[in-house]
Amino acid sequence: MSPVDRRPANATLILLASLYCAQGLPSGLLAHSLPVLLRQHGVDLALIGLLKLLALPWLLKALWAPWIDRMASRRLGHHRGWILPLQLTVIGILAGLALLGPQWLFGSGLWLLLGLLLLINLAAATQDIATDGLTVRLLPERWRGLGNSLQVGGYKIGMLVSGSGLLLFVDQLGWALSLGLVAGLLVLMTLPIARFDERRRLPFQPALAEPAGPGLLLRHYRGLLLQPGMGLWLAVLLAFKLGDALGSPMIKPMLVDQAWSNAALGQLTLLSSLAGIGGALLGGLLYARLGALRALLLGGLLQAIGIAAMALLVGQGAQVGLVYGVSLFEQIADGLSTVALFAAMMRQCRAEHEGADFTLQASVQLLLAGLVGASSGWLAQQLGFAGLFTWAGLLGLLALPLVLLYFRRYGRQPARVN
C-alpha cells in the first residue's frame, strides 16, 4: 500500500470525530431538547416553530464559505484558525445560558434566547465549512468514506447526548448543571483541535488560492462548475436522496396513525439512530473496499429498498418486530448511502477550495430534497402511505443510472484548480 493510501493515524480520526460530535451537541439541543422544554414552560407553539428559522445559517453558509477557504490565521493555522474561535464562542454562549434561569429565559428573556441560539447556529455552520475543508485535506481518497462515517456518526452521537440525554437528566440535575455538562463536553471535544499543529502538517498554499476581494463568490463557484462533468454530477446530487427525502418525513406520522405512543416512538427513534450510526461506519469501510462507484450504487440500492419497504408496515403497526426490523434496516441503509455520497462529494473538491466546494455540493443536495420533502404530506394524502413509500423507492432507483453514467464518463478525472 502506498503512503498516500495508508489508513489515517488514530489521532487524526479522533480529531475529526471530536469536531463532528461537537457540531451535533448544540444541534441536538436545538432540534430535540428545547422544543420540549419550551412547551413545558407554556411557550406558544408559533414561537417554538421559530426554532426552525434559526437553522438558516446552515442553508445559507455557501454564501460565505469561499472566504473561509481564502482567509487564514498565520498563528493558528488555516482551518484551525476558524474552528477554535468558533467552537469557543459556542462554549461561551452555552455557559452563559446555563447561568440564566429557565424561568426567565423561557419567559421575558425568550427573544434573547432565540438570538443566542441563532449565534450558535451561525458559529456551528461556519465551523462546519472549515471542518469539512480540513477533513478533505487530511484524508486520502480511499479513506474519505471512513472520514464521513465519523462525520455522520459523530454528529448523531452529539445530537443524542444533548437531545435525548438532556431530556433524560434535566429533571434530576436541573437546567444549569445539565447545560453546563453539555458545555463541558464541548470543551473536551475542543482539545484535539487545540493540540493539532495545522501550520506544520497542512500549510496554507496561497499560490492555489484566489484573492479574497470583490467577486470572490462568483470566481470561486464558477471554477467548481467548470470542472469536467460537473453538470452531470450536480444531477446525481439532486437525485440521489430524493426518494429518502420523499418518504422519510411520513414514517412517524404513519406509526402515529397506527396508535404508537410517544414513548414507543422515542425508543424506536433511539435504536434507529444507533442503527444509522452503525450504517455510517459500515459505509466508510465499504467505500474503502469497494471504491466510490460501487459504494454509491450499493448505498443507493439499499436506500431505495429501505424506504420502499416502509409500505409493508401500513396496517401492520401491531407487529412490533416487523416495524423494528424494517426501520432499523432503513436507517442502516440511510447511514451507508449518506457516507458514500459525502465521500464522493469530497472527490470533486479542489485544493485550497475544499470547504466551499463541499459546502456548495451539500447545499445543492439539500435544495431539491427539501422541496420534495415538504410535499410528502400532501402526496401521502393523495396516494396513501403505501403508495407514497412505493413511489419513493422507485424515485430512489432513478438516481442509479445517473451515478453509473457519470462514473463511466468522468469518474477517473480528479478535480482541477481553475
Side-chain angles (χ1 to χ4, degrees):
M1 182 182 297
S2 65
V4 73
D5 288 331
R6 189 172 298 149
R7 179 184 176 275
N10 289 336
T12 298
L13 301 180
I14 292 171
L15 168 67
L16 297 179
S18 68
L19 291 176
Y20 286 116
C21 187
Q23 290 177 19
L25 284 170
S27 297
L29 178 70
L30 289 162
H32 299 302
S33 299
L34 279 175
V36 175
L37 296 172
L38 286 168
R39 190 57 181 164
Q40 288 175 348
H41 283 78
V43 175
D44 186 80
L45 288 175
L47 288 175
I48 295 175
L50 288 177
L51 291 176
K52 294 294 183 183
L53 294 178
L54 302 182
L56 277 176
W58 290 92
L59 300 177
L60 301 177
K61 63 180 181 175
L63 297 178
W64 60 86
W67 281 269
I68 307 302
D69 278 339
R70 295 285 70 79
M71 300 170 66
S73 167
R74 292 183 179 180
R75 185 170 64 88
L76 297 177
H78 185 186
H79 304 93
R80 182 172 175 265
W82 287 100
I83 295 169
L84 265 179
L86 291 168
Q87 206 149 292
L88 291 174
T89 297
V90 175
I91 292 169
I93 295 174
L94 289 176
L97 290 175
L99 298 176
L100 299 172
Q103 296 295 338
W104 182 80
L105 274 177
F106 299 157
S108 57
L110 180 61
W111 289 104
L112 174 63
L113 172 64
L114 294 179
L116 292 175
L117 294 176
L118 179 61
L119 285 178
I120 287 177
N121 265 321
L122 179 61
T126 306
Q127 186 249 38
D128 182 59
I129 299 168
T131 299
D132 288 336
L134 179 64
T135 303
V136 175
R137 293 200 66 192
L138 275 175
L139 298 178
E141 159 66 16
R142 182 183 181 192
W143 296 104
R144 285 175 179 165
L146 178 59
N148 282 284
S149 295
L150 298 175
Q151 176 181 5
V152 175
Y155 189 85
K156 287 190 175 185
I157 289 172
M159 288 194 72
L160 282 174
V161 169
S162 60
S164 302
L166 189 69
L167 290 176
L168 284 173
F169 293 107
V170 69
D171 289 339
Q172 290 78 24
L173 301 179
W175 165 264
L177 182 55
S178 297
L179 208 58
L181 287 174
V182 174
L185 287 173
L186 199 49
V187 170
L188 292 177
M189 298 297 102
T190 306
L191 294 179
I193 189 64
R195 295 171 56 86
F196 179 63
D197 188 1
E198 184 182 9
R199 290 184 302 169
R200 179 180 60 83
R201 291 190 56 185
L202 298 172
F204 185 54
Q205 304 175 64
L208 300 178
E210 302 142 339
L216 173 61
L217 187 69
L218 179 61
R219 291 196 308 272
H220 193 109
Y221 289 134
R222 181 176 178 271
L224 175 64
L225 296 176
L226 289 176
Q227 295 292 305
M230 186 52 63
L232 184 54
W233 177 248
L234 292 178
V236 172
L237 292 180
L238 288 170
F240 194 76
K241 282 286 184 179
L242 283 188
D244 177 70
L246 178 62
S248 59
M250 290 296 106
I251 294 174
K252 286 187 175 62
M254 174 191 66
L255 294 174
V256 168
D257 286 358
Q258 297 182 75
W260 275 60
S261 67
N262 288 339
L265 286 171
Q267 182 176 333
L268 177 65
T269 300
L270 176 60
L271 294 177
S272 297
S273 298
L274 294 175
I277 294 171
L281 295 173
L282 178 61
L285 295 174
L286 289 176
Y287 189 92
R289 181 173 293 272
L290 302 178
L293 171 59
R294 287 185 289 178
L296 280 171
L297 291 176
L298 177 61
L301 177 62
L302 293 178
Q303 177 182 252
I305 293 172
I307 202 67
M310 288 292 166
L312 300 174
L313 304 185
V314 178
Q316 302 296 320
Q319 305 295 323
V320 176
L322 178 64
V323 172
Y324 268 87
V326 173
S327 298
L328 295 182
F329 175 81
E330 189 273 334
Q331 278 297 294
I332 291 171
D334 178 65
L336 191 156
S337 62
T338 299
V339 163
L341 180 64
F342 284 3
M345 285 160 54
M346 288 182 172
R347 300 174 79 250
Q348 313 299 325
C349 297
R350 300 161 293 160
E352 296 300 345
H353 298 67
E354 296 91 352
D357 283 2
F358 189 88
T359 296
L360 182 66
Q361 292 178 78
S363 299
V364 168
Q365 185 262 321
L366 287 172
L367 178 63
L368 188 56
L371 294 175
V372 168
S375 69
S376 60
W378 180 81
L379 287 172
Q381 290 178 329
Q382 306 304 311
L383 303 172
F385 286 124
L388 174 74
F389 293 129
T390 301
W391 279 106
L394 293 174
L395 187 60
L397 291 176
L398 292 178
L400 301 186
L402 289 174
V403 172
L404 193 59
L405 179 61
Y406 172 80
F407 276 87
R408 281 184 172 177
R409 289 186 178 180
Y410 306 104
R412 295 184 181 275
Q413 298 186 21
R416 297 181 288 108
V417 179
N418 289 343

